[in-house]
Amino acid sequence: MNYVITPPVIPTVAVAASDSLFPVNRVYCVGRNYAAHAIEMGHDPNREEPFFFKKAPDNLLPASESDGGGTFPYPPKTHDVHHEIELVTALSKGGTNIPVDTAMDCVWGFGVGIDMTRRDLQGEAKKAGRPWDTGKAFDNAAPMGCLHPIAQTGNMESGRIWLEVNGKVRQEGDLNQLIWKIPEIISYLSGLFTLRPCDLIFTGTPSGVGPITAGDILVGGIDGLSGIKVTVD
Ligand code: MN
């Protein structure tokens, strides 16, 4: 096939203890999936229907160093970028209308990600009833640590999730606090979209989200997974 312009490189995420890369198709994100975070954002913590938004695959900021480190350039047109530490689920299989009880068969593995958010632009969009893209889907908006295969990690139904900024714990929770569990998210999403191998799903953030500034060092982790370290430039 001849292209009129050279096609873009496929975005990838590193795989722990491997030279192989995980190629990325779509990047789905779940909103308000921990009760304490729903409350801090001024919403009902009771289980409502889940909702979703997307980041662009080339918004990913893969770790550039073996310790999960990377540099996040502070983005333009904002004065209020927030961190949201999240468990990221990577799919090896897709489909439509996937039942909850077979949904975990679609999972390739897991990693730690940060759903960087231009909160001021997201807030303006919410008020005006506009899409969230400028708040959520900007360049480098999805720093990612290494992925681990599910054979190593198990189903990640519980475990501490945390984020420290400059050595102080800002976000802390447990995966067992997810309002919509991973198989439920996969099943629900597959009713809205045809899921594909190589899709990523950011599963929501625990409470404690807050602003970052240039020079901050963010260190995040989830029990059993490689951590992430991001320096804000
Ligand atoms: Mn989020």
Side-chain angles (χ1 to χ4, degrees):
M1 171 66 73
N2 291 319
Y3 295 99
V4 295
I5 297 173
T6 305
V9 173
I10 294 173
T12 57
V13 179
V15 172
S18 167
D19 292 333
S20 299
L21 298 170
F22 185 92
V24 177
N25 185 47
R26 291 181 183 165
V27 181
Y28 296 100
C29 306
V30 186
R32 289 174 218 140
N33 204 23
Y34 289 76
H37 174 62
I39 291 167
E40 76 178 350
M41 297 304 289
H43 294 279
D44 187 341
N46 292 314
R47 181 158 142 139
E48 300 173 325
E49 292 298 289
F51 71 93
F52 305 93
F53 57 93
K54 294 215 295 292
K55 291 180 185 273
D58 67 352
N59 295 156
L60 287 167
L61 177 62
S64 54
E65 296 156 35
S66 57
D67 65 351
T71 300
F72 172 78
Y74 199 90
K77 305 286 185 189
T78 178
H79 301 285
D80 195 26
V81 176
H82 278 205
H83 53 76
E84 298 189 357
I85 188 81
E86 309 204 2
L87 173 69
V88 180
T89 303
L91 301 189
S92 57
K93 285 198 287 184
T96 54
N97 300 317
I98 298 164
V100 171
D101 58 5
T102 57
M104 291 308 289
D105 297 344
C106 298
V107 174
W108 185 87
F110 298 97
V112 176
I114 304 178
D115 168 13
M116 291 289 195
T117 303
R118 290 194 282 211
R119 193 72 76 202
D120 41 4
L121 300 191
Q122 185 199 26
E124 287 168 20
K126 282 182 185 173
K127 244 185 260 168
R130 292 180 181 152
W132 286 10
D133 299 52
T134 58
K136 289 291 195 179
F138 53 94
D139 296 340
N140 306 302
M144 278 288 306
C146 295
L147 290 171
H148 294 252
I150 191 169
Q152 275 176 18
T153 63
N155 288 353
M156 300 298 292
E157 290 168 354
S158 65
R160 181 173 177 252
I161 175 171
W162 73 93
L163 181 81
E164 294 177 2
V165 179
N166 303 325
K168 286 191 182 147
V169 176
R170 282 259 197 101
Q171 291 193 259
E172 194 163 26
D174 194 290
L175 299 177
N176 65 17
Q177 297 164 338
L178 280 178
I179 296 172
W180 290 88
K181 308 298 182 192
I182 294 161
E184 293 174 326
I185 293 167
I186 293 169
S187 177
Y188 201 105
L189 260 180
S190 75
L192 291 166
F193 307 99
T194 301
L195 296 180
R196 304 272 184 206
C198 309
D199 287 346
L200 297 180
I201 305 171
F202 280 63
T203 57
T205 196
S207 61
V209 300
I212 57 172
T213 53
D216 283 348
I217 297 175
L218 283 58
V219 175
I222 296 173
D223 284 347
L225 300 179
S226 300
I228 188 169
K229 181 179 174 187
V230 172
T231 303
V232 182
D233 189 19

